[in-house]
Amino acid sequence: MVNELREMQDEVISIKRSITSSFHKCTLVRKDLTQFNAFIQKIGNDRELCFLACKKCEQNIQQALTVLGKSNNVLIIQEQSKTIPEQSKHNVRISSDIKETCGITNICVLPTGQVLVADWWNNNVKLLNQQYQVVSHCGVAAHAEDMCLITPSKVAVTVNDDDNNIHEVQFVTVNNSMLVTGRKLRFQHRCISTAHHEGDLFVTSGTALFKYTLGGKQVSKLYVDDSKEDSGKK
């Protein structure tokens, strides 16, 4: 009985520490979101800053969802009806995943209704059918950071691994419900977020925003934040 009480006491202490840690994380995330909301109000019509703001907002939201325990292997789908929003959960982990946990960093909905999921932890991209079941997947060279639609059946995926100096954009095509990897673009700077607009590819490094052609030729460097500690990696 004494041992059981000690185990229960240890469990209570562990839970209290976990709650304290979660509360601290929530406080930090709330502060970041509040500051970011104030920043958004001041952007105006600056297109480049709007792009950066959207990407930063996605990162903040993903961080908040992670703190709230709404990431990992579960993809949460919310469908808005005229009356009540419906929400469903779908496990996207597959047997060949190298990690027990999935890290969903981005999703992309195709015109067909199929969904592409970027899995950071398992270095892959997964294709879900309209019932949100994984029907195909393909590996990438490192962590899948972000994804954007290039054509109705092709996406560009940013792939990054600082330790192994991997900074790429991998093109992936959906062909008959199968994922096919195509060409890749390699860069000297980190590849974190990406967007496609009027035939140009925009890539962020965490401290800078670059504009490229789809062939990988740099058109311009649109924005640089030299105040960041990792500005040397841009």
Side-chain angles (χ1 to χ4, degrees), residues 9-211:
Q9 185 180 27
D10 291 341
E11 184 69 19
V12 169
I13 293 173
S14 176
I15 292 173
K16 288 177 65 177
R17 288 175 178 171
S18 178
I19 292 174
T20 302
S21 176
S22 296
F23 178 78
H24 179 64
K25 291 178 181 178
C26 285
T27 301
L28 292 177
V29 170
R30 182 179 182 276
K31 180 180 178 182
D32 288 343
L33 291 174
T34 301
Q35 292 176 342
F36 190 70
N37 182 61
F39 171 72
I40 290 176
Q41 309 302 320
K42 302 177 182 179
I43 289 178
N45 296 321
D46 191 313
R47 296 179 63 184
E48 284 75 24
L49 287 181
C50 283
F51 176 85
L52 289 173
C54 288
K55 290 303 177 182
K56 184 62 177 177
C57 188
E58 289 178 0
Q59 295 173 7
N60 284 342
I61 291 173
Q62 182 62 40
Q63 183 182 10
L65 290 175
T66 300
V67 170
L68 293 172
K70 295 184 178 180
S71 186
N72 298 335
N73 302 341
V74 178
L75 176 66
I76 300 176
I77 305 296
Q78 181 164 311
E79 299 178 358
Q80 185 73 43
S81 66
K82 292 183 179 180
T83 54
I84 303 173
E86 298 180 358
Q87 189 178 89
S88 57
K89 297 181 179 181
H90 306 271
N91 195 322
V92 297
R93 189 179 185 279
I94 56 179
S95 59
S96 60
D97 282 343
I98 58 178
K99 299 289 186 179
E100 289 295 325
T101 301
C102 297
I104 302 173
T105 53
N106 194 272
I107 63 172
C108 186
V109 181
L110 303 179
T112 59
Q114 295 172 304
V115 178
L116 286 169
V117 176
D119 187 342
W120 192 90
W121 279 116
N122 292 294
N123 300 349
N124 62 27
V125 177
K126 297 167 181 174
L127 176 66
L128 281 57
N129 60 19
Q130 294 183 4
Q131 288 72 47
Y132 307 113
Q133 300 168 325
V134 180
V135 294
S136 182
H137 70 280
C138 67
V140 292
H143 303 309
E145 297 275 1
D146 195 18
M147 187 164 44
C148 71
L149 200 63
I150 303 297
T151 72
S153 60
K154 179 187 290 186
V155 296
V157 183
T158 50
V159 180
N160 197 74
D161 184 344
D162 291 341
D163 293 336
N164 294 299
N165 198 32
I166 298 175
H167 314 298
E168 302 175 350
V169 170
Q170 173 72 62
F171 292 97
V172 178
T173 301
V174 180
N175 187 3
N176 294 325
S177 295
M178 296 292 293
L179 293 184
V180 180
T181 55
R183 61 191 178 89
K184 64 176 66 175
L185 307 176
R186 293 185 173 89
F187 301 96
Q188 295 301 311
H189 60 76
R190 302 169 72 203
C191 298
I192 305 300
S193 297
T194 186
H196 175 246
H197 181 65
E198 296 182 352
D200 291 316
L201 192 66
F202 296 84
V203 180
T204 66
S205 67
T207 59
L209 170 62
F210 299 88
K211 180 179 180 180

